[in-house]
Amino acid sequence: MRLTVVGSSPAWHNPGGAQSGYLVEGPGRLLLDCGAGVLAKLRSMNGGWPLVDSIVITHWHLDHWGDLVPWVWGNMVGPGKGKGKPELWLPPQGRARIRDFGSRLGWEDMFETTFDVRDYEEAIPFQTEAGLEVLAIRLPHYTLRTYGLRVTNGAHTLAYSGDSGPDERLTQVARDADLFVCEATLERGELDGSPRGHLSVDEAVAAFDASGAARLLLTHRPDELPAPDGYELAYDGLVIDL
Ligand SMILES: [Zn+2]
Ligand SMILES: [Zn+2]
């Protein structure tokens, strides 16, 4: 299993960066989140148009799904034309939600012209066309419904926090994973809103320590906040083989 960090920026882009997007390969190609800038980065990696089997979205903040919109235009009249229809797995009730967005941004079923749209269910593993199984675990992120993801090919497991405040369920997401990609957006937890929605480095490390995961990769971190020494920080283009 191979992870390529396509985009690692938080809610505003780091210089030259893309927002959330993580490509997991092995056996197929699965994209976790598709924030603004991800399409351009994928095009640079692949040449032409991105070839992915499946996409899974953690939540409806734009930095996690915004580039699905230009993906539709490129598929309709650009280089994506005739390049297949990736699965698009959305949070529960996501089909209705994305049709609503479609009716405001283009037309109601615009996303269904480009993607094979499905909703996943909470806490029930689902099999993707990429040949990878995914489990979505609900996490706290202000008042927005959001999920952390466990991705496995049977031999290896990658865990991804999406966006989350501190919570015991983060340790379920990351339990004994080979790699835990965990957000660390904040300088300090007390700077967060209420209810909580993001993690500091200390809080990400606490979740990692409790989980038994083998390796921690911090992400979704503003450029203005370097990671403390001794911690691995994601950057766009980073490749990790598990
Ligand atoms: Zn985010
Ligand atoms: Zn968010």
Side-chain angles (χ1 to χ4, degrees):
M1 186 188 277
R2 165 175 285 189
L3 167 71
T4 302
V5 176
V6 182
S8 56
S9 289
W12 60 96
H13 297 75
N14 289 329
Q19 294 181 319
S20 295
Y22 303 88
L23 182 66
V24 186
E25 293 172 278
R29 291 161 63 85
L30 169 67
L31 179 66
L32 307 178
D33 282 336
C34 188
V38 167
L39 182 60
K41 297 271 185 189
L42 284 173
R43 294 199 64 192
S44 305
M45 287 163 52
N46 282 341
W49 196 249
L51 300 172
V52 302
D53 301 299
S54 312
I55 303 168
V56 183
I57 302 296
T58 56
H59 68 295
W60 290 108
H61 277 152
L62 204 63
D63 58 318
H64 294 254
W65 73 275
D67 262 12
L68 296 179
V69 178
W71 199 312
V72 171
W73 307 129
N75 185 73
M76 190 171 72
V77 291
K81 206 167 178 177
K83 295 279 168 61
K85 210 172 176 186
E87 278 182 332
L88 174 60
W89 289 93
L90 301 172
Q93 291 99 53
R95 287 180 69 108
R97 186 95 181 234
I98 209 165
R99 287 179 72 89
D100 180 53
F101 284 130
S103 69
R104 295 159 201 273
L105 298 171
W107 69 99
E108 196 175 33
D109 64 354
M110 63 182 276
F111 295 98
E112 284 143 311
T113 63
T114 297
F115 306 105
D116 181 6
V117 180
R118 291 136 192 266
D119 296 352
Y120 55 78
E121 287 183 67
E122 195 168 310
I124 297 176
F126 56 98
Q127 199 65 40
T128 65
E129 281 289 319
L132 294 154
E133 186 184 274
V134 181
L135 175 67
I137 295 174
R138 183 129 178 220
L139 294 172
H141 184 42
Y142 306 117
T143 57
L144 190 66
R145 181 185 283 263
T146 191
Y147 294 88
L149 303 174
R150 278 177 74 82
V151 179
T152 184
N153 64 1
H156 295 286
T157 298
L158 179 150
Y160 168 46
S161 66
D163 287 355
S164 179
D167 195 276
E168 273 184 6
R169 285 167 289 179
L170 274 168
T171 62
Q172 285 176 41
V173 172
R175 177 76 59 213
D176 298 327
D178 296 282
L179 177 68
F180 182 27
V181 181
C182 187
E183 75 121 290
T185 310
L186 302 174
E187 185 176 13
R188 299 193 311 278
E190 62 266 31
L191 300 175
D192 205 359
S194 178
R196 294 288 308 270
H198 287 294
L199 303 171
S200 66
V201 170
D202 288 351
E203 290 164 339
V205 169
F208 167 71
D209 285 343
S211 72
R215 181 172 172 181
L216 175 65
L217 179 67
L218 301 175
T219 193
H220 203 275
R221 189 156 178 86
D223 198 49
E224 297 76 23
L225 299 176
D229 285 350
Y231 295 105
E232 199 176 358
L233 184 59
Y235 57 87
D236 298 5
L238 172 66
V239 176
I240 295 178
D241 285 311
L242 303 180

